[in-house]
PDB file of all heavy atoms in Angstrom:
ATOM      1  N   PRO A   1       0.752  -1.193  -0.042  1.00  0.00           N
ATOM      2  CA  PRO A   1      -0.011   0.060  -0.129  1.00  0.00           C
ATOM      3  C   PRO A   1       0.796   1.172   0.013  1.00  0.00           C
ATOM      4  O   PRO A   1       2.028   1.239   0.395  1.00  0.00           O
ATOM      5  CB  PRO A   1      -0.780  -0.146   1.413  1.00  0.00           C
ATOM      6  CG  PRO A   1       0.043  -0.923   2.211  1.00  0.00           C
ATOM      7  CD  PRO A   1       0.856  -1.857   1.327  1.00  0.00           C
ATOM      8  N   PHE A   2       0.308   2.304  -0.522  1.00  0.00           N
ATOM      9  CA  PHE A   2       0.968   3.673  -0.406  1.00  0.00           C
ATOM     10  C   PHE A   2      -0.137   4.706  -0.349  1.00  0.00           C
ATOM     11  O   PHE A   2      -1.381   4.419  -0.657  1.00  0.00           O
ATOM     12  CB  PHE A   2       1.894   3.844  -1.512  1.00  0.00           C
ATOM     13  CG  PHE A   2       1.242   3.966  -3.029  1.00  0.00           C
ATOM     14  CD1 PHE A   2       0.829   5.264  -3.396  1.00  0.00           C
ATOM     15  CD2 PHE A   2       1.130   2.942  -3.731  1.00  0.00           C
ATOM     16  CE1 PHE A   2       0.275   5.285  -4.746  1.00  0.00           C
ATOM     17  CE2 PHE A   2       0.586   3.040  -5.014  1.00  0.00           C
ATOM     18  CZ  PHE A   2       0.137   4.333  -5.417  1.00  0.00           C
ATOM     19  N   LEU A   3       0.206   5.928   0.141  1.00  0.00           N
ATOM     20  CA  LEU A   3      -0.790   6.929   0.222  1.00  0.00           C
ATOM     21  C   LEU A   3      -0.642   7.866  -0.965  1.00  0.00           C
ATOM     22  O   LEU A   3       0.485   8.240  -1.363  1.00  0.00           O
ATOM     23  CB  LEU A   3      -0.600   7.822   1.582  1.00  0.00           C
ATOM     24  CG  LEU A   3      -0.780   6.942   2.916  1.00  0.00           C
ATOM     25  CD1 LEU A   3      -0.631   7.687   4.080  1.00  0.00           C
ATOM     26  CD2 LEU A   3      -2.033   6.301   2.849  1.00  0.00           C
ATOM     27  N   GLU A   4      -1.840   8.283  -1.496  1.00  0.00           N
ATOM     28  CA  GLU A   4      -1.930   9.211  -2.514  1.00  0.00           C
ATOM     29  C   GLU A   4      -2.791  10.341  -2.217  1.00  0.00           C
ATOM     30  O   GLU A   4      -3.869  10.227  -1.565  1.00  0.00           O
ATOM     31  CB  GLU A   4      -2.471   8.504  -3.881  1.00  0.00           C
ATOM     32  CG  GLU A   4      -2.415   9.346  -5.092  1.00  0.00           C
ATOM     33  CD  GLU A   4      -1.093   9.548  -5.640  1.00  0.00           C
ATOM     34  OE1 GLU A   4      -0.407  10.558  -5.184  1.00  0.00           O
ATOM     35  OE2 GLU A   4      -0.485   8.787  -6.397  1.00  0.00           O
ATOM     36  N   LYS A   5      -2.389  11.591  -2.597  1.00  0.00           N
ATOM     37  CA  LYS A   5      -3.172  12.770  -2.328  1.00  0.00           C
ATOM     38  C   LYS A   5      -3.907  13.086  -3.686  1.00  0.00           C
ATOM     39  O   LYS A   5      -3.279  13.448  -4.667  1.00  0.00           O
ATOM     40  CB  LYS A   5      -2.366  13.889  -1.937  1.00  0.00           C
ATOM     41  CG  LYS A   5      -3.229  14.992  -1.166  1.00  0.00           C
ATOM     42  CD  LYS A   5      -2.312  15.848  -0.265  1.00  0.00           C
ATOM     43  CE  LYS A   5      -3.324  16.665   0.526  1.00  0.00           C
ATOM     44  NZ  LYS A   5      -2.558  17.432   1.655  1.00  0.00           N
ATOM     45  N   GLU A   6      -5.249  13.032  -3.650  1.00  0.00           N
ATOM     46  CA  GLU A   6      -6.138  13.280  -4.762  1.00  0.00           C
ATOM     47  C   GLU A   6      -7.131  14.254  -4.361  1.00  0.00           C
ATOM     48  O   GLU A   6      -7.977  14.056  -3.381  1.00  0.00           O
ATOM     49  CB  GLU A   6      -6.645  11.996  -5.433  1.00  0.00           C
ATOM     50  CG  GLU A   6      -5.559  11.046  -5.816  1.00  0.00           C
ATOM     51  CD  GLU A   6      -6.241   9.810  -6.452  1.00  0.00           C
ATOM     52  OE1 GLU A   6      -6.889   9.967  -7.386  1.00  0.00           O
ATOM     53  OE2 GLU A   6      -5.944   8.694  -5.795  1.00  0.00           O
ATOM     54  N   ARG A   7      -7.307  15.367  -5.082  1.00  0.00           N
ATOM     55  CA  ARG A   7      -8.430  16.261  -4.899  1.00  0.00           C
ATOM     56  C   ARG A   7      -8.396  16.775  -3.423  1.00  0.00           C
ATOM     57  O   ARG A   7      -9.537  16.836  -2.836  1.00  0.00           O
ATOM     58  CB  ARG A   7      -9.689  15.815  -5.284  1.00  0.00           C
ATOM     59  CG  ARG A   7      -9.720  15.393  -6.752  1.00  0.00           C
ATOM     60  CD  ARG A   7     -11.032  14.727  -7.117  1.00  0.00           C
ATOM     61  NE  ARG A   7     -11.061  14.344  -8.562  1.00  0.00           N
ATOM     62  CZ  ARG A   7     -12.056  13.722  -9.138  1.00  0.00           C
ATOM     63  NH1 ARG A   7     -13.164  13.407  -8.399  1.00  0.00           N
ATOM     64  NH2 ARG A   7     -12.025  13.338 -10.425  1.00  0.00           N
ATOM     65  N   GLY A   8      -7.165  17.000  -2.843  1.00  0.00           N
ATOM     66  CA  GLY A   8      -7.266  17.388  -1.501  1.00  0.00           C
ATOM     67  C   GLY A   8      -7.454  16.354  -0.382  1.00  0.00           C
ATOM     68  O   GLY A   8      -7.487  16.695   0.797  1.00  0.00           O
ATOM     69  N   GLN A   9      -7.624  15.121  -0.829  1.00  0.00           N
ATOM     70  CA  GLN A   9      -7.901  14.086   0.194  1.00  0.00           C
ATOM     71  C   GLN A   9      -6.771  12.938   0.025  1.00  0.00           C
ATOM     72  O   GLN A   9      -6.345  12.748  -1.028  1.00  0.00           O
ATOM     73  CB  GLN A   9      -9.289  13.533  -0.074  1.00  0.00           C
ATOM     74  CG  GLN A   9     -10.388  14.460   0.186  1.00  0.00           C
ATOM     75  CD  GLN A   9     -11.792  13.625   0.111  1.00  0.00           C
ATOM     76  OE1 GLN A   9     -11.845  12.640  -0.515  1.00  0.00           O
ATOM     77  NE2 GLN A   9     -12.772  14.250   0.687  1.00  0.00           N
ATOM     78  N   THR A  10      -6.499  12.408   1.228  1.00  0.00           N
ATOM     79  CA  THR A  10      -5.525  11.380   1.134  1.00  0.00           C
ATOM     80  C   THR A  10      -6.186  10.045   1.031  1.00  0.00           C
ATOM     81  O   THR A  10      -7.157   9.609   1.671  1.00  0.00           O
ATOM     82  CB  THR A  10      -4.749  11.277   2.526  1.00  0.00           C
ATOM     83  OG1 THR A  10      -4.122  12.546   2.678  1.00  0.00           O
ATOM     84  CG2 THR A  10      -3.695  10.176   2.612  1.00  0.00           C
ATOM     85  N   GLN A  11      -5.677   9.274  -0.055  1.00  0.00           N
ATOM     86  CA  GLN A  11      -6.311   8.000  -0.458  1.00  0.00           C
ATOM     87  C   GLN A  11      -5.275   6.887  -0.282  1.00  0.00           C
ATOM     88  O   GLN A  11      -4.039   7.032  -0.507  1.00  0.00           O
ATOM     89  CB  GLN A  11      -6.799   7.998  -1.853  1.00  0.00           C
ATOM     90  CG  GLN A  11      -7.747   9.205  -2.209  1.00  0.00           C
ATOM     91  CD  GLN A  11      -9.231   8.983  -1.674  1.00  0.00           C
ATOM     92  OE1 GLN A  11      -9.455   7.848  -1.270  1.00  0.00           O
ATOM     93  NE2 GLN A  11      -9.945   9.990  -1.590  1.00  0.00           N
ATOM     94  N   ARG A  12      -5.731   5.694   0.037  1.00  0.00           N
ATOM     95  CA  ARG A  12      -4.860   4.469   0.022  1.00  0.00           C
ATOM     96  C   ARG A  12      -4.969   3.795  -1.298  1.00  0.00           C
ATOM     97  O   ARG A  12      -6.006   3.501  -1.830  1.00  0.00           O
ATOM     98  CB  ARG A  12      -5.311   3.575   1.182  1.00  0.00           C
ATOM     99  CG  ARG A  12      -4.443   2.358   1.384  1.00  0.00           C
ATOM    100  CD  ARG A  12      -5.046   1.379   2.406  1.00  0.00           C
ATOM    101  NE  ARG A  12      -4.149   0.263   2.718  1.00  0.00           N
ATOM    102  CZ  ARG A  12      -4.118  -0.848   2.110  1.00  0.00           C
ATOM    103  NH1 ARG A  12      -4.901  -1.072   1.031  1.00  0.00           N
ATOM    104  NH2 ARG A  12      -3.259  -1.862   2.525  1.00  0.00           N
ATOM    105  N   ARG A  13      -3.833   3.684  -1.973  1.00  0.00           N
ATOM    106  CA  ARG A  13      -3.678   2.944  -3.103  1.00  0.00           C
ATOM    107  C   ARG A  13      -2.788   1.773  -3.118  1.00  0.00           C
ATOM    108  O   ARG A  13      -2.023   1.689  -2.041  1.00  0.00           O
ATOM    109  CB  ARG A  13      -3.149   3.895  -4.309  1.00  0.00           C
ATOM    110  CG  ARG A  13      -3.929   5.203  -4.454  1.00  0.00           C
ATOM    111  CD  ARG A  13      -5.340   4.908  -4.918  1.00  0.00           C
ATOM    112  NE  ARG A  13      -5.513   4.152  -6.093  1.00  0.00           N
ATOM    113  CZ  ARG A  13      -5.461   4.596  -7.404  1.00  0.00           C
ATOM    114  NH1 ARG A  13      -5.300   6.010  -7.510  1.00  0.00           N
ATOM    115  NH2 ARG A  13      -5.553   3.799  -8.381  1.00  0.00           N
ATOM    116  N   GLU A  14      -2.847   0.940  -4.039  1.00  0.00           N
ATOM    117  CA  GLU A  14      -2.138  -0.380  -3.836  1.00  0.00           C
ATOM    118  C   GLU A  14      -1.247  -0.755  -5.038  1.00  0.00           C
ATOM    119  O   GLU A  14      -1.695  -0.459  -6.245  1.00  0.00           O
ATOM    120  CB  GLU A  14      -3.113  -1.467  -3.598  1.00  0.00           C
ATOM    121  CG  GLU A  14      -3.702  -1.382  -2.137  1.00  0.00           C
ATOM    122  CD  GLU A  14      -4.619  -2.560  -1.948  1.00  0.00           C
ATOM    123  OE1 GLU A  14      -5.101  -3.186  -2.923  1.00  0.00           O
ATOM    124  OE2 GLU A  14      -4.934  -2.816  -0.698  1.00  0.00           O
ATOM    125  N   VAL A  15      -0.220  -1.431  -4.793  1.00  0.00           N
ATOM    126  CA  VAL A  15       0.596  -2.183  -5.767  1.00  0.00           C
ATOM    127  C   VAL A  15       0.351  -3.622  -5.563  1.00  0.00           C
ATOM    128  O   VAL A  15       0.546  -4.143  -4.494  1.00  0.00           O
ATOM    129  CB  VAL A  15       2.097  -1.874  -5.649  1.00  0.00           C
ATOM    130  CG1 VAL A  15       2.883  -2.759  -6.634  1.00  0.00           C
ATOM    131  CG2 VAL A  15       2.416  -0.350  -5.799  1.00  0.00           C
ATOM    132  N   LEU A  16      -0.128  -4.372  -6.613  1.00  0.00           N
ATOM    133  CA  LEU A  16      -0.467  -5.731  -6.523  1.00  0.00           C
ATOM    134  C   LEU A  16       0.831  -6.525  -7.161  1.00  0.00           C
ATOM    135  O   LEU A  16       1.359  -6.237  -8.153  1.00  0.00           O
ATOM    136  CB  LEU A  16      -1.727  -6.065  -7.357  1.00  0.00           C
ATOM    137  CG  LEU A  16      -2.926  -5.323  -6.920  1.00  0.00           C
ATOM    138  CD1 LEU A  16      -4.215  -5.755  -7.718  1.00  0.00           C
ATOM    139  CD2 LEU A  16      -3.231  -5.561  -5.440  1.00  0.00           C
ATOM    140  N   VAL A  17       1.093  -7.579  -6.403  1.00  0.00           N
ATOM    141  CA  VAL A  17       2.318  -8.457  -6.811  1.00  0.00           C
ATOM    142  C   VAL A  17       1.890  -9.788  -7.030  1.00  0.00           C
ATOM    143  O   VAL A  17       1.147 -10.401  -6.328  1.00  0.00           O
ATOM    144  CB  VAL A  17       3.341  -8.344  -5.656  1.00  0.00           C
ATOM    145  CG1 VAL A  17       4.700  -8.935  -6.092  1.00  0.00           C
ATOM    146  CG2 VAL A  17       3.690  -6.879  -5.126  1.00  0.00           C
ATOM    147  N   GLN A  18       2.431 -10.354  -8.171  1.00  0.00           N
ATOM    148  CA  GLN A  18       2.263 -11.818  -8.410  1.00  0.00           C
ATOM    149  C   GLN A  18       3.750 -12.392  -8.545  1.00  0.00           C
ATOM    150  O   GLN A  18       4.596 -11.687  -9.105  1.00  0.00           O
ATOM    151  CB  GLN A  18       1.557 -11.895  -9.811  1.00  0.00           C
ATOM    152  CG  GLN A  18       1.105 -13.437 -10.088  1.00  0.00           C
ATOM    153  CD  GLN A  18       0.305 -13.487 -11.255  1.00  0.00           C
ATOM    154  OE1 GLN A  18       0.706 -13.347 -12.482  1.00  0.00           O
ATOM    155  NE2 GLN A  18      -1.075 -13.684 -11.143  1.00  0.00           N
ATOM    156  N   VAL A  19       3.837 -13.562  -8.084  1.00  0.00           N
ATOM    157  CA  VAL A  19       5.130 -14.208  -8.089  1.00  0.00           C
ATOM    158  C   VAL A  19       5.032 -15.552  -8.899  1.00  0.00           C
ATOM    159  O   VAL A  19       4.066 -16.363  -8.643  1.00  0.00           O
ATOM    160  CB  VAL A  19       5.627 -14.581  -6.638  1.00  0.00           C
ATOM    161  CG1 VAL A  19       6.869 -15.331  -6.668  1.00  0.00           C
ATOM    162  CG2 VAL A  19       5.764 -13.227  -5.823  1.00  0.00           C
ATOM    163  N   LYS A  20       5.935 -15.806  -9.672  1.00  0.00           N
ATOM    164  CA  LYS A  20       5.956 -17.057 -10.582  1.00  0.00           C
ATOM    165  C   LYS A  20       7.318 -17.736 -10.446  1.00  0.00           C
ATOM    166  O   LYS A  20       8.384 -17.083 -10.729  1.00  0.00           O
ATOM    167  CB  LYS A  20       5.620 -16.769 -12.084  1.00  0.00           C
ATOM    168  CG  LYS A  20       4.226 -16.290 -12.295  1.00  0.00           C
ATOM    169  CD  LYS A  20       3.237 -17.431 -12.146  1.00  0.00           C
ATOM    170  CE  LYS A  20       1.801 -17.062 -12.553  1.00  0.00           C
ATOM    171  NZ  LYS A  20       0.856 -18.084 -12.498  1.00  0.00           N
ATOM    172  N   GLY A  21       7.347 -18.947 -10.005  1.00  0.00           N
ATOM    173  CA  GLY A  21       8.547 -19.717  -9.893  1.00  0.00           C
ATOM    174  C   GLY A  21       8.884 -20.750 -11.020  1.00  0.00           C
ATOM    175  O   GLY A  21       9.919 -21.354 -11.117  1.00  0.00           O
ATOM    176  N   GLY A  22       7.845 -20.822 -11.949  1.00  0.00           N
ATOM    177  CA  GLY A  22       8.030 -21.745 -13.069  1.00  0.00           C
ATOM    178  C   GLY A  22       7.982 -21.081 -14.410  1.00  0.00           C
ATOM    179  O   GLY A  22       8.501 -19.906 -14.608  1.00  0.00           O
ATOM    180  N   HIS A  23       7.439 -21.812 -15.413  1.00  0.00           N
ATOM    181  CA  HIS A  23       7.429 -21.251 -16.804  1.00  0.00           C
ATOM    182  C   HIS A  23       6.460 -20.022 -16.900  1.00  0.00           C
ATOM    183  O   HIS A  23       5.463 -19.934 -16.229  1.00  0.00           O
ATOM    184  CB  HIS A  23       6.877 -22.309 -17.670  1.00  0.00           C
ATOM    185  CG  HIS A  23       6.636 -21.856 -19.199  1.00  0.00           C
ATOM    186  ND1 HIS A  23       7.627 -21.558 -19.997  1.00  0.00           N
ATOM    187  CD2 HIS A  23       5.539 -21.637 -19.825  1.00  0.00           C
ATOM    188  CE1 HIS A  23       7.256 -21.191 -21.037  1.00  0.00           C
ATOM    189  NE2 HIS A  23       5.951 -21.165 -21.084  1.00  0.00           N
ATOM    190  N   VAL A  24       6.888 -19.000 -17.606  1.00  0.00           N
ATOM    191  CA  VAL A  24       6.116 -17.839 -17.744  1.00  0.00           C
ATOM    192  C   VAL A  24       5.943 -17.454 -19.287  1.00  0.00           C
ATOM    193  O   VAL A  24       6.719 -17.945 -20.035  1.00  0.00           O
ATOM    194  CB  VAL A  24       6.826 -16.559 -17.025  1.00  0.00           C
ATOM    195  CG1 VAL A  24       6.883 -16.755 -15.576  1.00  0.00           C
ATOM    196  CG2 VAL A  24       8.327 -16.412 -17.512  1.00  0.00           C
ATOM    197  N   LYS A  25       4.871 -16.775 -19.463  1.00  0.00           N
ATOM    198  CA  LYS A  25       4.495 -16.407 -20.843  1.00  0.00           C
ATOM    199  C   LYS A  25       3.772 -14.999 -20.895  1.00  0.00           C
ATOM    200  O   LYS A  25       3.420 -14.509 -19.908  1.00  0.00           O
ATOM    201  CB  LYS A  25       3.681 -17.422 -21.511  1.00  0.00           C
ATOM    202  CG  LYS A  25       2.310 -17.759 -20.634  1.00  0.00           C
ATOM    203  CD  LYS A  25       1.669 -18.883 -21.132  1.00  0.00           C
ATOM    204  CE  LYS A  25       0.370 -19.178 -20.386  1.00  0.00           C
ATOM    205  NZ  LYS A  25       0.488 -19.232 -18.987  1.00  0.00           N
ATOM    206  N   SER A  26       3.675 -14.615 -22.158  1.00  0.00           N
ATOM    207  CA  SER A  26       2.939 -13.183 -22.195  1.00  0.00           C
ATOM    208  C   SER A  26       1.497 -13.166 -21.760  1.00  0.00           C
ATOM    209  O   SER A  26       1.058 -12.096 -21.287  1.00  0.00           O
ATOM    210  CB  SER A  26       3.019 -12.742 -23.731  1.00  0.00           C
ATOM    211  OG  SER A  26       2.306 -13.703 -24.562  1.00  0.00           O
ATOM    212  N   GLY A  27       0.851 -14.372 -21.769  1.00  0.00           N
ATOM    213  CA  GLY A  27      -0.521 -14.379 -21.293  1.00  0.00           C
ATOM    214  C   GLY A  27      -0.551 -14.102 -19.703  1.00  0.00           C
ATOM    215  O   GLY A  27      -1.608 -13.548 -19.290  1.00  0.00           O
ATOM    216  N   ASP A  28       0.509 -14.367 -19.012  1.00  0.00           N
ATOM    217  CA  ASP A  28       0.503 -14.051 -17.633  1.00  0.00           C
ATOM    218  C   ASP A  28       0.474 -12.647 -17.419  1.00  0.00           C
ATOM    219  O   ASP A  28      -0.178 -12.057 -16.437  1.00  0.00           O
ATOM    220  CB  ASP A  28       1.852 -14.633 -17.023  1.00  0.00           C
ATOM    221  CG  ASP A  28       1.920 -16.122 -16.994  1.00  0.00           C
ATOM    222  OD1 ASP A  28       0.839 -16.695 -16.960  1.00  0.00           O
ATOM    223  OD2 ASP A  28       3.011 -16.656 -17.105  1.00  0.00           O
ATOM    224  N   ILE A  29       1.195 -11.821 -18.252  1.00  0.00           N
ATOM    225  CA  ILE A  29       1.171 -10.396 -18.111  1.00  0.00           C
ATOM    226  C   ILE A  29      -0.206  -9.731 -18.455  1.00  0.00           C
ATOM    227  O   ILE A  29      -0.721  -8.924 -17.726  1.00  0.00           O
ATOM    228  CB  ILE A  29       2.222  -9.753 -18.892  1.00  0.00           C
ATOM    229  CG1 ILE A  29       3.687 -10.338 -18.660  1.00  0.00           C
ATOM    230  CG2 ILE A  29       2.417  -8.224 -18.834  1.00  0.00           C
ATOM    231  CD1 ILE A  29       4.087 -10.138 -17.213  1.00  0.00           C
ATOM    232  N   ARG A  30      -0.810 -10.225 -19.473  1.00  0.00           N
ATOM    233  CA  ARG A  30      -2.175  -9.800 -19.826  1.00  0.00           C
ATOM    234  C   ARG A  30      -3.126 -10.136 -18.729  1.00  0.00           C
ATOM    235  O   ARG A  30      -3.875  -9.256 -18.339  1.00  0.00           O
ATOM    236  CB  ARG A  30      -2.556 -10.523 -21.128  1.00  0.00           C
ATOM    237  CG  ARG A  30      -1.951 -10.002 -22.377  1.00  0.00           C
ATOM    238  CD  ARG A  30      -2.572 -10.487 -23.690  1.00  0.00           C
ATOM    239  NE  ARG A  30      -2.581 -11.891 -23.888  1.00  0.00           N
ATOM    240  CZ  ARG A  30      -1.655 -12.551 -24.534  1.00  0.00           C
ATOM    241  NH1 ARG A  30      -0.563 -11.838 -24.901  1.00  0.00           N
ATOM    242  NH2 ARG A  30      -1.658 -13.816 -24.605  1.00  0.00           N
ATOM    243  N   ASP A  31      -3.096 -11.164 -18.089  1.00  0.00           N
ATOM    244  CA  ASP A  31      -3.916 -11.617 -16.975  1.00  0.00           C
ATOM    245  C   ASP A  31      -3.716 -10.640 -15.768  1.00  0.00           C
ATOM    246  O   ASP A  31      -4.686 -10.139 -15.139  1.00  0.00           O
ATOM    247  CB  ASP A  31      -3.670 -12.968 -16.450  1.00  0.00           C
ATOM    248  CG  ASP A  31      -4.110 -14.099 -17.521  1.00  0.00           C
ATOM    249  OD1 ASP A  31      -4.922 -13.576 -18.421  1.00  0.00           O
ATOM    250  OD2 ASP A  31      -3.686 -15.202 -17.457  1.00  0.00           O
ATOM    251  N   LEU A  32      -2.464 -10.303 -15.486  1.00  0.00           N
ATOM    252  CA  LEU A  32      -2.127  -9.459 -14.327  1.00  0.00           C
ATOM    253  C   LEU A  32      -2.711  -7.996 -14.665  1.00  0.00           C
ATOM    254  O   LEU A  32      -3.243  -7.334 -13.816  1.00  0.00           O
ATOM    255  CB  LEU A  32      -0.665  -9.366 -14.096  1.00  0.00           C
ATOM    256  CG  LEU A  32      -0.206  -8.481 -12.973  1.00  0.00           C
ATOM    257  CD1 LEU A  32      -0.938  -8.793 -11.641  1.00  0.00           C
ATOM    258  CD2 LEU A  32       1.273  -8.608 -12.763  1.00  0.00           C
ATOM    259  N   VAL A  33      -2.608  -7.471 -15.972  1.00  0.00           N
ATOM    260  CA  VAL A  33      -3.099  -6.294 -16.350  1.00  0.00           C
ATOM    261  C   VAL A  33      -4.554  -6.187 -16.170  1.00  0.00           C
ATOM    262  O   VAL A  33      -5.129  -5.284 -15.577  1.00  0.00           O
ATOM    263  CB  VAL A  33      -2.745  -5.906 -17.824  1.00  0.00           C
ATOM    264  CG1 VAL A  33      -3.583  -4.675 -18.239  1.00  0.00           C
ATOM    265  CG2 VAL A  33      -1.328  -5.675 -18.028  1.00  0.00           C
ATOM    266  N   GLY A  34      -5.282  -7.259 -16.496  1.00  0.00           N
ATOM    267  CA  GLY A  34      -6.686  -7.396 -16.239  1.00  0.00           C
ATOM    268  C   GLY A  34      -7.012  -7.407 -14.771  1.00  0.00           C
ATOM    269  O   GLY A  34      -8.020  -6.762 -14.286  1.00  0.00           O
TER     270      GLY A  34
END
């Protein structure tokens, strides 16, 4: 989490993390974007 100031108000925003220990492909990135 991190704090963001928008329109004079403090909002909680998030960074989402995915971990892969095996085979990876471009479809994994598209899924994470979704």
